[in-house]
Amino acid sequence: MTRFLELLIAFFLIFVFSDLSVQAQHLDTELPKCTVVTHCAREIWKVSKVEESFGKVIKVVEAMPRTKIIEKSDSYIHAEAQTKWMRYTDDLLIKAIPNKGVIQVRSESRVGIGDNGVNKKRIADIAYRLTTNQIN
């Protein structure tokens, strides 16, 4: 029980005192790595045309159900996505890094220890829509 409380306090401090959107907005900085992999997923996609691909990602995210973009720049998106079943809010961060030729995608649950694979599925869905040109 003590170990559980220590973990709970650590998660609380991490989420309260870290502002992921500010950290990720710098042009060359990468999105933060997942600290708790049971409720977070992160992928790096190599692309040939970063700006064009990022524009497509924006359109895909805008068309996703229960997803609202709350912050957007020319190389960064922060969206909130609600889960279908319990309506929990997850954070979806997407970052284009042109000088590295990559787009990074990170989806993380705000609450709980596990996500039943929702974040990984969300990223896979975005990738599928991009590769099959299912862009609205």
Side-chain angles (χ1 to χ4, degrees), residues 101-121:
V102 298
I103 293 178
Q104 294 182 335
V105 185
R106 183 181 194 268
S107 183
E108 181 174 26
S109 302
R110 288 185 181 174
V111 296
I113 296 173
D115 68 356
N116 294 321
V118 169
N119 290 300
K120 189 172 185 172
K121 289 176 190 171

Side-chain angles (χ1 to χ4, degrees), residues 31 34 41-45 103-107 120 123-124 127:
L31 293 177
C34 292
R42 181 177 179 258
E43 289 188 8
I44 299 172
W45 300 333
I103 293 178
Q104 294 182 335
V105 185
R106 183 181 194 268
S107 183
K120 189 172 185 172
I123 292 175

Side-chain angles (χ1 to χ4, degrees), residues 24-75:
Q25 285 183 23
H26 299 291
L27 190 59
D28 293 334
T29 39
E30 296 185 359
L31 293 177
K33 293 188 167 127
C34 292
T35 55
V36 181
V37 295
T38 56
H39 76 239
C40 181
R42 181 177 179 258
E43 289 188 8
I44 299 172
W45 300 333
K46 284 287 240 183
V47 293
S48 57
K49 299 177 182 175
V50 176
E51 291 85 2
E52 181 181 323
S53 298
F54 187 72
K56 291 179 181 179
V57 170
I58 291 171
K59 290 179 183 177
V60 168
V61 172
E62 288 173 338
M64 291 174 65
R66 299 174 314 279
T67 303
K68 178 183 175 185
I69 295 176
I70 59 170
E71 190 175 345
K72 179 170 70 169
S73 71
D74 58 346
S75 65

